Amino acid sequence: MQLEKNQDIELYIEDMTTDGEGVGKLDGFPLFVKDTVIGDKAIVKVIKLKKNYGYGRLMSIIEPSKDRVAPKCPIARQCGGCQIQELAYNKQLEFKANMVKNNIERIGGITEYEMEPIIGMEEPFYYRNKAQFPVGTDKNGNIVIGFYAGRTHCIIENDVCYIGSKRNADIVAAVKKYMLDNNVSAYNEADNKGLVRHILIREGINTEQLMVCLIINGKKLPNEEAFVKALQATGKIDSIMLNYNTQNTNVILGEEVRLLYGTPYIEDYIGDIKYRISPLSFFQVNPKQTYKLYSKALEYADLTGNEVVWDLYCGIGTISLFMAPHVKKVYGVEIVPPAIKDAKENAKLNNITNAEFFVGASEEVLPAYYNKHKDEYADVIVVDPPRKGCDEKLLDTIVKMAPKKVVYVSCDSATMARDIKYLSENGYKLEKVCPVDQFPHTCHVESVAVMHQQDLMM
């Protein structure tokens, strides 16, 4: 059958991509269709054709998959934040575990290792401790607060996110009422005019502390006292802040913040370790699953208390401080200076004295340190890189330092598999991998893997 653009066809969805798009084939020709799940039979409009594949738009479901469920969120399809909310949660876990397994075996070329069951959530909703609501106007000039539609900067009005805090809706409503009552303008990206750009809400999941930060295109907020009172009327709030961002940019936060009420931070825990969180701090958005992820990394490290550990791409030191009570010494490396400042402050907050932190790119700091201290030994090296994975220069230095174990924490199993292949070709053997569902209803999955030095296994 010869496909043509704008043609409507009947398609059975037999697979899904790592982006959550359904995949169906017509006479062997694959079509990628957003908003479909494995097992759907659908009417699809062909919207783009390439030489070897094409894209389709879901028009209607003829026969739903047995694993299709009604999304909890009424704007899930338009929003794009939850790409697979229509897929039953147990099948989401299966999909993510298979993604990790396939990447390790296809990209990493490794088949002999232990794949542990994926760690999911008992309640896969209301788990995010951070929300960022863009503020703008509709075509009639009315204030709109919600979320960007998928792959656009068009705001879909919405104050309820079913993977965010239950308090978000009341806070968003309070901000909107304050803006209307005080004639406060919303930001317009097109001309870089208007005042209120975003609402940032951060919550301590374990402490129940709450922060609200208003990002404005200026230095002054009209009637600040009324703004604070409007927020306080929604319930207990521990921190109310302003962030100034006057740049014509897609970056949400500016560098300067000002405290309006309470403390300039909130606190939360991962395990027994307490962290202070400011508007500019990086902190894992799902602390409950992060605890499970780090606990698995700690299990894989198999520490006795006498080890020297390097934590590369350490961020604010979450893994470093999590492991510190179980080791002799831990070194953390991170390229972002404010993150290292937070790491040092969090170490003091928890009376941790055996953690030392370095500012710089891991692929620069570790080789430089190794070249100056070749007699020093690393028992365990932990890496938690960004999505692009580890730099090959860093992997080469890890091989030269020859730690007994490498624990790899990953937000992208494809680049993890690539790096595991490099290490496996240079003296290390993959022992175990465990996926952790850090972001239910999205396509993202975290993983932790452990590799052992082969010489020690002989």
Side-chain angles (χ1 to χ4, degrees), residues 85-98:
Q85 201 176 120
E86 294 91 350
L87 188 64
Y89 186 57
N90 65 315
K91 289 297 177 180
Q92 291 185 29
L93 296 178
E94 184 180 306
F95 163 69
K96 294 181 181 185
N98 286 335

Side-chain angles (χ1 to χ4, degrees), residues 24-43:
K25 292 181 180 178
L26 195 67
D27 296 333
F29 186 84
L31 283 169
F32 302 100
V33 187
K34 185 178 173 291
D35 303 314
T36 59
V37 302
I38 298 171
D40 279 342
K41 186 182 289 186
I43 297 295

